[in-house]
């Protein structure tokens, strides 16, 4: 009898809590990317103006989608700002 070896990793399904944490982290990350794009747009010159407009639109669409998902899952979107502050504080203390 021949053995078959599987080179693929076993995919472990995430728990609902892990999925919610990841969603919140993605919302926070996207908000930061949107702020970064807005700030860079303020100082953009010539060809970079179109680039940052694209970045702003893309990040806004992504943020809208993530917030919609969070509301569907029952996550209080208004408390994300407080969570963002707590995560930043933890990251600063870890450094």
């Amino acid at each position: 009898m021949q053995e078959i070896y599987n080179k693929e990793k076993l995919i472990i399904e995430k728990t609902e809590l892990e999925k919610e944490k990841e969603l919140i982290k993605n919302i926070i990350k996207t908000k930061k990317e949107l702020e970064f794009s807005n700030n860079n747009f303020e100082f953009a010159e010539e060809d970079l103006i179109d680039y940052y407009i694209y970045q702003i639109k893309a990040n806004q669409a992504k943020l809208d989608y993530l917030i919609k998902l969070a509301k569907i899952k029952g996550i209080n979107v208004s408390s994300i700002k407080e969570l963002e502050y707590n995560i930043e504080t933890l990251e600063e203390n870890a450094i």
Side-chain angles (χ1 to χ4, degrees):
M1 188 176 268
Q2 217 176 18
E3 290 186 28
I4 300 173
Y5 292 96
N6 187 358
K7 293 183 179 179
E8 297 178 10
K9 276 184 161 180
L10 176 64
I11 298 174
I12 300 172
E13 187 67 29
K14 293 181 179 179
T15 65
E16 282 301 312
L17 183 60
E18 290 173 330
K19 289 178 183 178
E20 288 179 6
K21 286 180 182 179
E22 190 172 325
L23 178 60
I24 291 170
K25 285 180 182 179
N26 281 327
I27 290 173
I28 293 168
K29 179 182 173 196
T30 304
K31 284 174 71 176
K32 287 180 181 180
E33 289 172 354
L34 181 60
E35 289 173 15
F36 181 75
S37 295
N38 279 319
N39 289 339
N40 285 335
F41 175 75
E42 297 287 327
F43 302 102
E45 296 178 6
E46 300 173 19
D47 294 338
L48 287 178
I49 292 172
D50 290 337
Y51 172 77
Y52 286 116
I53 289 172
Y54 171 78
Q55 288 287 322
I56 290 167
K57 286 183 180 182
N59 285 322
Q60 187 61 55
K62 183 178 178 182
L63 184 60
D64 291 343
Y65 172 75
L66 292 173
I67 288 173
K68 182 179 175 182
L69 278 179
K71 286 181 179 179
I72 290 171
K73 290 185 176 262
I75 298 171
N76 186 357
V77 180
S78 62
S79 67
I80 289 178
K81 188 69 175 171
E82 181 180 328
L83 290 171
E84 181 178 357
Y85 173 77
N86 290 339
I87 290 172
E88 286 175 355
T89 305
L90 288 173
E91 288 174 353
E92 288 174 4
N93 290 338
I95 296 176

